[in-house]
Amino acid sequence: MTTHWYFATWSFDAQSHVLETDQFSATLEPKVARLLQFLLEHNGSVLSRDELVAAVWDGRAISDEAVRRAVCQLRQVLAHDGSERYLKTVRKQGYLPQFPIASSAAPAPRRRWLLIVGLCASFALALLFAIVWLFSHYRAESFW
């Protein structure tokens, strides 16, 4: 079973429940994370409320509102990049997940960005120290 999913600009770790992009990160509630994983596993298929209840809530008797609330929470998190298009409601049938799935080998976009920023900051700091040292060393020798 896949534990890491990459779709559009998103990265989802099903074990830690972390959903992230370059600019945003959220830890999903367990039921919302299970819902997202089930939707990703059945991408492109219309899923009924009963199928969602069986998979995410283990078939327990729950209200329609509980399903709607979990879907709404997931949509709110995904809306940070204008992605309401990822999960469509199909009237009187259920929900249609439409995630543009990327390669599962893709690195998490946020971690790659942090690595680049860290390397640039380290280089800038080293350059600053070199300039300060050269300037102080040059002034000390020319003064005497």
Side-chain angles (χ1 to χ4, degrees):
M1 174 159 52
T2 302
T3 59
H4 284 86
W5 295 86
Y6 302 95
F7 58 97
T9 61
W10 293 97
S11 169
F12 174 59
D13 183 344
Q15 286 184 324
S16 66
H17 304 169
V18 174
L19 178 63
E20 63 185 358
T21 65
D22 287 339
Q23 301 134 358
F24 176 78
S25 179
T27 301
L28 303 177
E29 293 180 12
K31 292 292 182 206
V32 177
R34 284 183 70 184
L35 174 64
L36 177 57
Q37 183 172 359
F38 185 73
L39 293 169
L40 287 165
E41 289 169 349
H42 296 87
N43 192 29
S45 301
V46 176
L47 301 167
S48 70
R49 175 207 176 273
D50 292 338
E51 289 174 298
L52 296 178
V53 169
V56 177
W57 286 269
D58 300 321
R60 288 187 215 114
I62 60 163
S63 68
D64 288 342
E65 183 58 30
V67 175
R68 279 193 293 272
R69 186 177 59 82
V71 168
C72 182
Q73 286 177 335
L74 181 58
R75 282 180 171 155
Q76 286 175 345
V77 173
L78 290 171
H80 281 278
D81 78 343
S83 57
E84 292 178 14
R85 68 188 178 276
Y86 295 146
L87 185 55
K88 304 250 186 231
T89 300
V90 180
R91 188 175 159 99
K92 297 189 180 192
Q93 291 183 34
Y95 299 97
L96 175 61
Q98 296 179 316
F99 299 103
I101 302 295
S103 167
S104 62
R110 182 180 171 144
R111 291 190 184 108
R112 180 180 21 179
W113 174 250
L114 290 175
L115 177 64
I116 292 169
V117 169
L119 289 173
C120 289
S122 298
F123 178 75
L125 191 58
L127 185 61
L128 177 67
F129 279 124
I131 290 170
V132 167
W133 181 83
L134 286 172
F135 183 70
S136 65
H137 185 69
Y138 176 73
R139 284 187 51 96
E141 284 184 5
S142 65
F143 183 73
W144 296 109

